[in-house]
Amino acid sequence: EPEVTQTPSHQVTQMGQEVILRCVPISNHLYFYWYRQILGQKVEFLVSFYNNEISEKSEIFDDQFSVERPDGSNFTLKIRSTKLEDSAMYFCASTGQPNTEAFFGQGTRLTVV
Amino acid sequence: QKEVEQDPGPLSVPEGAIVSLNCTYSNSAFQYFMWYRQYSRKGPELLMYTYSSGNKEDGRFTAQVDKSSKYISLFIRDSQPSDSATYLCAMTAMSGGSNYKLTFGKGTLLTVNP
């Protein structure tokens, strides 16, 4: 069964360092998303991406964040200078058509120390 | 008022019980509704997807949507210990364009006791 894969599963980084979280969406999907879940809180939308550009971003997605689809399979989230409050689970999701089921990866647990 | 409200529980039931999980929402633009199951420190796993008022059944799971009341439910019949997880409701608007972001409830933690 096709699935969204994310790497790494866990990343520990020092405050101020750059991190890149990687995702391989389901191969024929066209719409890509990043979500964040701080421990004990709800899943929050960060950014959506379609046709090689950002469709919408939330208030959380400030200038420290960027997304890229560097090739036909990968979708990345970069945090330029990590802060302690960036510690969270980051989930990548993809959908094939508008308003169809969104499938999530297993997440990357980011710990900023 | 929060866009999506979900009682976080925790909810504890004996094996075999019928479980009812609920969400209310305030944004009438929401047209598509999903239920996800999330195990600890794992990604949300899609269980049910509906877009019309009424019931949709899949095995032991039934999703119910009442758009007039802005209320959705998930029923689990013959609950099993393996159903123990956090259940998240999520919804999205039929906004057109190229963005269909999901708005989630906070999740309900369910424990099914053998």
Side-chain angles (χ1 to χ4, degrees), chain B residues 32-111:
Chain B
Y32 296 81
F33 306 92
M34 279 142 274
W35 285 95
Y36 287 86
R37 178 172 61 197
Q38 186 179 30
Y39 295 111
S40 181
R41 295 187 181 272
K42 298 291 185 188
E45 174 194 2
L46 183 65
L47 287 175
M48 299 288 284
Y49 170 82
T50 59
Y51 55 86
S52 55
S53 281
N55 293 352
K56 179 178 180 181
E57 192 173 313
D58 184 1
R60 296 186 295 112
F61 299 92
T62 300
Q64 191 174 78
V65 173
D66 181 348
K67 290 184 180 178
S68 62
S69 303
K70 298 191 181 67
Y71 186 89
I72 67 170
S73 300
L74 178 71
F75 299 96
I76 307 173
R77 286 185 299 283
D78 187 25
S79 55
Q80 303 295 308
S82 57
D83 294 328
S84 298
T86 297
Y87 288 80
L88 312 173
C89 65
M91 45 201 80
T92 185
M94 192 167 62
S95 59
S98 55
N99 168 49
Y100 299 93
K101 67 177 183 184
L102 295 176
T103 301
F104 281 84
K106 201 170 179 185
T108 300
L109 178 61
L110 170 68
T111 302

Side-chain angles (χ1 to χ4, degrees), chain A residues 31 33 35 37 39-45 47-50 55-56 89 91 95 97-107 109, chain B residues 2-4 32 34 36 38 41-46 49 56 88 92-107:
Chain A
Y31 302 81
Y33 307 83
Y35 290 83
Q37 187 177 31
L39 188 63
Q41 298 189 24
K42 66 179 182 178
V43 177
E44 300 174 288
F45 168 77
V47 65
S48 59
F49 191 86
Y50 169 72
S55 308
E56 184 175 341
M89 287 288 286
F91 296 109
T95 67
Q97 294 291 330
N99 271 338
T100 58
E101 300 94 317
F103 293 92
F104 282 75
Q106 289 300 300
R109 182 156 62 105
Chain B
K2 292 178 185 170
E3 273 198 302
V4 180
Y32 296 81
M34 279 142 274
Y36 287 86
Q38 186 179 30
R41 295 187 181 272
K42 298 291 185 188
E45 174 194 2
L46 183 65
Y49 170 82
K56 179 178 180 181
L88 312 173
T92 185
M94 192 167 62
S95 59
S98 55
N99 168 49
Y100 299 93
K101 67 177 183 184
L102 295 176
T103 301
F104 281 84
K106 201 170 179 185

Side-chain angles (χ1 to χ4, degrees), chain A residues 6-7 11 20 33-35 37 42 44-45 47 58 62-63 68 74 79 87-90 93-95 97 100 103 111:
Chain A
Q6 290 186 243
T7 55
Q11 172 97 45
I20 297 176
Y33 307 83
W34 284 100
Y35 290 83
Q37 187 177 31
K42 66 179 182 178
E44 300 174 288
F45 168 77
V47 65
S58 71
D62 62 21
D63 292 345
E68 195 176 35
N74 291 284
I79 309 175
S87 296
M89 287 288 286
Y90 287 81
S94 68
T95 67
Q97 294 291 330
T100 58
F103 293 92
T111 304

